[in-house]
Amino acid sequence: MSTTAVPLRPIAKGSLTKLWVGIAAVVLAAGGLAYAGTATVDTLGFEVLKEGAGVSPTVSDVVLVSYVGKLKDGTVFDQNEQAALPVDGLVPGFTQALLKMKKGGKYHISIPPQLGYGAEAKGPIPANSTLEFDVTLLDFKSRAEIEAMQRQMQMIQGGAGGMPGAPGGAPMPGAPTAPGQ
């Protein structure tokens, strides 16, 4: 058996280097496009209109806010002058924004669909909507403070002509319930 040799032309000087540089450029371009496509998808827009003072609320706090919620086209879908809201009971974007706010501050936040309601429509809010809010953080308290205030209010209400802690001023045990008894 005989072997036939096939002559190969030599590679031109620098061709291999150019090939690897081209491959590296394609990989970098693809990586850049992939990053650009995902980097702004779930970014919360947060603008300070008036700086507040003090510390920011935590996820376990309840905030008192004044807000106007709009769609990108300017349609108002919700507004409230004094709303008490649990920080951890809201859409992720609103929670993230509240954690950056300070008491007395005014803010404009833009919540992308991924940090809002996503592909789910909610009442007047269409699916995949970017939500725009103008928010003023009026006050915030911890849940423990609010529960203590609620207990105190129940004690005060129960103490008016009744037994402390009894709902709605229930009469004391052994006291007459109607005149003449």
Side-chain angles (χ1 to χ4, degrees), residues 62-94:
V62 176
V63 296
L64 183 64
V65 294
S66 171
Y67 69 89
V68 176
K70 300 176 187 174
L71 299 174
K72 276 288 217 191
D73 66 3
T75 304
V76 174
F77 62 83
D78 194 12
Q79 63 185 15
N80 200 324
E81 287 299 313
Q82 287 192 344
L85 306 169
V87 174
D88 64 354
L90 306 166
V91 295
F94 208 96

